[in-house]
């Protein structure tokens, strides 16, 4: 990755652009639940969809950093709305961390609201209930996928770690660590890449198969999966101080950065054929940038600067004219050229709300934000 370093004023310019865009998007989106902006207009997905927490997460983050009552008012009802969908429909699964950390948990931390705390603890109990004892993993999805686990769940572990700290009950933490240990032994490859899906025998816990999932193939390297793993392992270390988690985060980070193309934004899968012709995934870059900043804070000082520089260069790439939509106030979305599910032909070359969220989060960290949502 051959990019310039940050210049004075870059962060302030990006932050101003985020505020302008968010204000315009808030007027247009209202109480909708955005996921994909395919033609510059965000959709409105059901509240039990895994991405429903990211837009309110942006609002809570902006409220914390600006004190704006507008963001506070817009963010306030989201945890209750998602809880209502939980009770009514309950199509929820391993991604409740993505839904309740940026809503109920941050709301409770910022306002002390006890209903938000109750909702978040209930979600943590639901997530803990998906733990497979013999396989020592959190079950992914529902229906017939009883023995499946996925790398994305590393990010949802933060809900369990928070619940353990909040309640004083060590079982949440124990389950989170058991799943993280399984990721170390069953997902992480020697070169620092990771599998997306591991299918276990739910009775014995033995590995039955590795599945490509949203990657090109079972043994390819889906870039967003690498980013989830990088960031999730850093979080696991931050909550526990268990050094193998930090070492894993570093290995994954080294692999991720080594695979980046010249302009710094990853292709959707690092091992897809005819790579130069493959679409990019700005969401993977944004998640990785925020995760690299976590590693920079947690690693030994002689390494910290290296990870921070890698994060800054990812953000520089994302903020370039090709990938950024900050200066287009009509277009809904902060980043362009995200890839949702390439093998399914779904949501390719679009804006993705989670890409927007992690881009905003990473810039907030560089500007001095020290609290954490994940």
């Amino acid at each position: 990755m051959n990019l310039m370093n940050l210049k004075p004023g870059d962060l302030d310019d990006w932050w101003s652009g985020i505020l302008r865009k968010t204000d315009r998007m808030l007027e247009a989106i209202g109480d909708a639940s955005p996921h994909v902006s395919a033609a510059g207009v965000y959709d409105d997905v059901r509240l039990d969809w895994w991405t429903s927490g990211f837009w309110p997460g942006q609002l809570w983050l902006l409220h914390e950093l600006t004190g704006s009552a507008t963001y506070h008012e817009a963010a306030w009802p989201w945890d209750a709305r998602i809880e209502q969908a939980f009770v009514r429909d309950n199509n929820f699964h391993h991604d409740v961390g993505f839904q309740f950390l940026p809503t109920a948990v941050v709301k409770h931390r910022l306002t002390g609201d006890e209903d938000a705390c109750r909702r978040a603890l209930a979600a943590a109990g639901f997530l803990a209930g998906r733990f497979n004892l013999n396989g020592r993993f959190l079950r992914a999805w529902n229906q017939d996928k009883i023995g499946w686990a996925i790398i994305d769940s590393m990010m949802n572990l933060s809900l369990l770690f928070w619940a353990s700290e909040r309640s004083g009950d060590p079982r949440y933490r124990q389950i989170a660590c058991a799943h993280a240990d399984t990721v170390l032994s069953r997902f992480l490859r020697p070169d620092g890449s990771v599998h997306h899906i591991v299918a276990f025998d739910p009775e014995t816990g033995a590995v039955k198969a590795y599945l490509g999932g949203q990657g090109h193939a079972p043994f390819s390297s889906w870039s967003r999966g690498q980013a989830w793993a990088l960031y999730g392992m850093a979080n696991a270390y931050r909550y526990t101080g268990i050094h193998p988690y930090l070492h894993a985060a570093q290995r994954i980070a080294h692999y991720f950065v080594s695979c980046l193309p010249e302009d710094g934004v990853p292709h959707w899968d690092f091992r897809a054929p005819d790579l130069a012709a493959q679409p990019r995934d700005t969401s993977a870059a944004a998640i990785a940038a925020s995760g690299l900043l976590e590693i920079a804070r947690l690693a030994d000082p002689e390494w910290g600067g290296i990870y921070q520089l890698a994060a800054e260069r990812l953000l520089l790439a994302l903020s370039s004219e090709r990938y950024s939509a900050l200066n287009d106030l009509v277009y809904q979305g902060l980043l362009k050229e995200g890839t949702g599910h390439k093998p399914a032909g779904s949501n390719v070359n679009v804006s993705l709300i989670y890409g927007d969220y992690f881009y905003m989060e990473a810039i907030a960290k560089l500007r001095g934000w020290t609290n954490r949502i994940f």
Side-chain angles (χ1 to χ4, degrees), residues 1-4 14 221-224 226-227 255-271 275-289 292 309-325 334-339 349-350 352 355 359:
M1 181 168 54
N2 182 22
L3 295 169
M4 301 289 290
W14 299 342
S221 181
W222 179 46
S223 60
R224 191 162 77 244
Q226 309 302 138
Y255 171 83
F256 188 97
V257 173
S258 73
C259 291
L260 292 172
E262 188 71 10
D263 74 353
V265 173
H267 298 89
W268 71 279
D269 190 304
F270 288 128
R271 295 176 183 164
L275 193 59
Q278 297 290 340
R280 306 303 181 95
D281 185 10
T282 52
S283 74
I287 296 159
L292 284 164
L309 182 60
E312 290 176 0
R313 290 181 171 177
L314 281 172
L315 292 172
L316 273 167
L318 290 174
S319 303
S320 67
E321 184 176 352
R322 172 174 173 177
Y323 300 110
S324 171
L334 305 182
L335 297 176
K336 299 177 287 186
E337 294 199 41
T339 296
N349 193 21
V350 294
L352 297 162
Y359 175 70

Side-chain angles (χ1 to χ4, degrees), residues 59-79:
L59 299 174
W60 278 120
L61 180 55
L62 290 176
H63 165 66
E64 180 179 357
L65 293 176
T66 67
S68 167
T70 299
Y71 299 136
H72 181 280
E73 180 181 354
W76 183 270
W78 275 89
D79 60 315

Side-chain angles (χ1 to χ4, degrees), residues 27 36 55 84-86 90 127 149 186 198 207 240 244 246 257 276 280 282 299 308 323 349 353 355:
E27 292 177 6
V36 175
W55 171 243
Q84 290 166 9
F86 203 156
N90 202 7
L127 182 57
R186 297 290 184 260
V198 179
V207 173
T240 67
L246 177 60
V257 173
R280 306 303 181 95
T282 52
Q308 175 154 334
Y323 300 110
N349 193 21
I353 196 64

Side-chain angles (χ1 to χ4, degrees), residues 86 96-97 100 118-128 159-160:
F86 203 156
V96 289
F100 285 90
R118 172 186 58 77
R119 292 174 185 123
L121 287 172
F126 172 83
L127 182 57
L159 180 63
L160 298 177

Side-chain angles (χ1 to χ4, degrees), residues 76 79 100 103-109 111-122 162:
W76 183 270
D79 60 315
F100 285 90
T103 57
V105 173
V106 68
K107 179 180 179 179
H108 176 257
R109 177 171 57 79
T111 72
D113 184 74
E114 288 302 322
D115 279 334
C117 183
R118 172 186 58 77
R119 292 174 185 123
L121 287 172
W162 169 84

Side-chain angles (χ1 to χ4, degrees), residues 44-248:
D44 181 11
V45 298
R46 64 183 198 262
L47 289 175
D48 61 0
W49 190 246
W50 73 276
T51 60
S52 60
F54 290 109
W55 171 243
Q58 291 183 53
L59 299 174
W60 278 120
L61 180 55
L62 290 176
H63 165 66
E64 180 179 357
L65 293 176
T66 67
S68 167
T70 299
Y71 299 136
H72 181 280
E73 180 181 354
W76 183 270
W78 275 89
D79 60 315
R81 294 180 64 200
I82 295 173
E83 181 192 39
Q84 290 166 9
F86 203 156
V87 172
R88 182 182 64 247
D89 303 321
N90 202 7
N91 292 311
F92 291 74
H93 44 63
H94 60 278
D95 278 334
V96 289
F98 282 138
Q99 293 163 304
F100 285 90
L101 284 163
T103 57
V105 173
V106 68
K107 179 180 179 179
H108 176 257
R109 177 171 57 79
L110 294 178
T111 72
D113 184 74
E114 288 302 322
D115 279 334
C117 183
R118 172 186 58 77
R119 292 174 185 123
L121 287 172
F126 172 83
L127 182 57
R130 301 182 69 84
F131 184 66
N132 181 295
L133 184 61
N134 285 348
R136 294 173 60 83
F137 64 86
L138 291 167
R139 176 192 172 184
W141 296 308
N142 298 321
Q143 290 81 44
D144 58 345
K145 302 175 177 66
I146 297 173
W148 289 20
I150 63 173
I151 197 62
D152 318 38
S153 290
M154 278 305 305
M155 291 294 292
N156 291 286
L157 297 186
S158 293
L159 180 63
L160 298 177
F161 288 127
W162 169 84
S164 200
E165 291 180 352
R166 176 63 189 169
S167 67
D169 189 335
R171 292 176 298 170
Y172 298 107
R173 180 183 185 274
Q174 290 163 3
I175 289 171
C177 288
H179 181 87
D181 291 344
T182 297
V183 170
L184 289 180
S185 63
R186 297 290 184 260
F187 283 77
L188 181 59
R189 303 169 183 144
D191 65 355
S193 65
V194 297
H195 296 284
H196 181 202
I197 301 173
V198 179
F200 297 89
D201 183 319
E203 293 287 351
T204 67
V207 173
K208 294 174 62 178
Y210 298 100
L211 305 174
Q214 287 173 254
H216 169 68
F219 289 88
S220 66
S221 181
W222 179 46
S223 60
R224 191 162 77 244
Q226 309 302 138
W228 293 139
L230 177 162
Y231 196 167
M233 279 294 173
N235 288 340
Y237 174 73
R238 176 164 55 86
Y239 277 104
T240 67
I242 296 174
H243 281 281
Y245 299 157
L246 177 60
H247 298 158

Side-chain angles (χ1 to χ4, degrees), residues 9-21:
D10 278 343
L11 290 176
D12 289 341
D13 289 345
W14 299 342
W15 193 249
S16 296
I18 287 171
L19 292 174
R20 287 193 303 269
K21 283 298 297 278

